[in-house]
Amino acid sequence: SAVISQKPSRDICQRGTSLTIQCQVDSQVTMMFWYRQQPGQSLTLIATANQGSEATYESGFVIDKFPISRPNLTFSTLTVSNMSPEDSSIYLCSVEWAGGEDEQYFGPGTRLTVT
Amino acid sequence: AQTVTQSQPEMSVQEAETVTLSCTYDTSESNYYLFWYKQPPSRQMILVIRQEAYKQQNATENRFSVNFQKAAKSFSLKISDSQLGDTAMYFCAFMKLAGNMLTFGGGTRLMVKP
């Protein structure tokens, strides 16, 4: 089965700074997504990362705060900009493969703490 | 918009016994997918089982099975012969047939006791 990795696995950042999270898959995928999981809560979709075009953001999430790149079919980045303590969460990427029967598989997540 | 509700924040079960986790959802769609994901303390989200709404037969995967009641919009997960490694958060999730967005329930924390 394919491997999904995320870097960093965790980080502690200061208020006002930005962090870029990477998601790498070892095979080509059709869809890549970014989710946020706030402490003790469920997952919420931030955006769909589109290859070669701007990401599609869900309600409540904007490009200026969460810029996303997807330069190819195996890699995506999510940046959390101008961070505040409220951004402390686990950020997870997920992928769907072509012919993958609409199943999403998740990376190991990045635990972000903002002080 | 779809909503997914898990009414049991926490549950516990003795090792080797059977436990059922509840999930209800609300949608106006007629065709869709339902999933159960497991998130152990390592925080890795693991797909446990999936159900297509157009299939009447309940999905099974080894010790995991579902009871899908479409009319009642209910999708429960049964774990048989519970093992210590089943200790985790379990999330029920909904996906429209022609969409990709997963809508998650609030989760149920399951503790398997030796």
Side-chain angles (χ1 to χ4, degrees):
Chain A
S1 60
V3 175
I4 308 167
S5 59
Q6 284 186 233
K7 289 182 181 179
S9 60
R10 60 177 62 220
D11 207 341
I12 301 172
C13 301
Q14 289 194 338
R15 180 195 301 261
T17 63
S18 298
L19 176 71
T20 296
I21 302 167
Q22 299 179 2
C23 179
Q24 177 78 56
V25 192
D26 68 354
S27 61
Q28 293 185 349
V29 298
T30 53
M31 308 291 291
M32 297 184 79
F33 309 89
W34 287 99
Y35 288 81
R36 181 176 73 181
Q37 186 177 23
Q38 293 177 301
Q41 297 193 26
S42 187
L43 284 75
T44 302
L45 180 65
I46 298 171
T48 302
N50 300 310
Q51 195 253 333
S53 64
E54 193 171 285
T56 304
Y57 289 85
E58 297 301 314
S59 176
F61 298 96
V62 295
I63 187 171
D64 290 346
K65 176 65 176 177
F66 297 102
I68 287 171
S69 77
R70 188 178 172 194
N72 55 51
L73 294 176
T74 63
F75 184 78
S76 177
T77 67
L78 167 74
T79 299
V80 186
S81 303
N82 187 25
M83 288 183 284
S84 66
E86 293 71 34
D87 294 320
S88 297
S89 296
I90 298 171
Y91 292 86
L92 301 103
C93 70
S94 73
V95 305
E96 274 189 32
W97 280 271
E101 299 184 334
D102 293 304
E103 294 178 353
Q104 287 187 26
Y105 294 87
F106 285 80
T110 296
R111 183 182 295 275
L112 170 62
T113 302
V114 183
T115 60
Chain B
Q2 285 67 230
T3 59
V4 180
T5 302
Q6 294 178 246
S7 58
Q8 306 151 315
E10 293 186 1
M11 293 192 72
S12 64
V13 63
Q14 292 296 131
E15 195 175 7
E17 294 190 346
T18 295
V19 64
T20 298
L21 309 183
S22 301
C23 173
T24 58
Y25 59 94
D26 188 27
T27 184
S28 58
E29 303 286 326
S30 57
N31 288 315
Y32 45 87
Y33 301 109
L34 294 163
F35 304 88
W36 279 97
Y37 282 88
K38 166 185 176 181
Q39 188 179 39
S42 66
R43 77 173 179 259
Q44 174 77 57
M45 290 286 286
I46 301 166
L47 178 61
V48 175
I49 199 165
R50 112 198 199 122
Q51 174 79 43
E52 294 90 341
Y54 54 86
K55 289 186 178 179
Q56 292 187 337
Q57 186 173 5
N58 288 324
T60 62
E61 286 288 344
N62 301 314
R63 297 184 296 107
F64 299 88
S65 62
V66 299
N67 183 3
F68 173 50
Q69 301 290 328
K70 189 173 183 179
K73 295 181 181 175
S74 170
F75 182 60
S76 61
L77 175 70
K78 185 171 82 171
I79 306 174
S80 304
D81 186 24
S82 297
Q83 300 176 0
L84 296 178
D86 295 333
T87 292
M89 283 289 290
Y90 286 82
F91 293 98
C92 178
F94 173 100
M95 181 195 290
K96 291 196 292 187
L97 203 65
N100 304 107
M101 174 181 173
L102 281 169
T103 301
F104 285 89
T108 296
R109 184 178 303 278
L110 176 67
M111 173 74 71
V112 180
K113 297 179 178 179

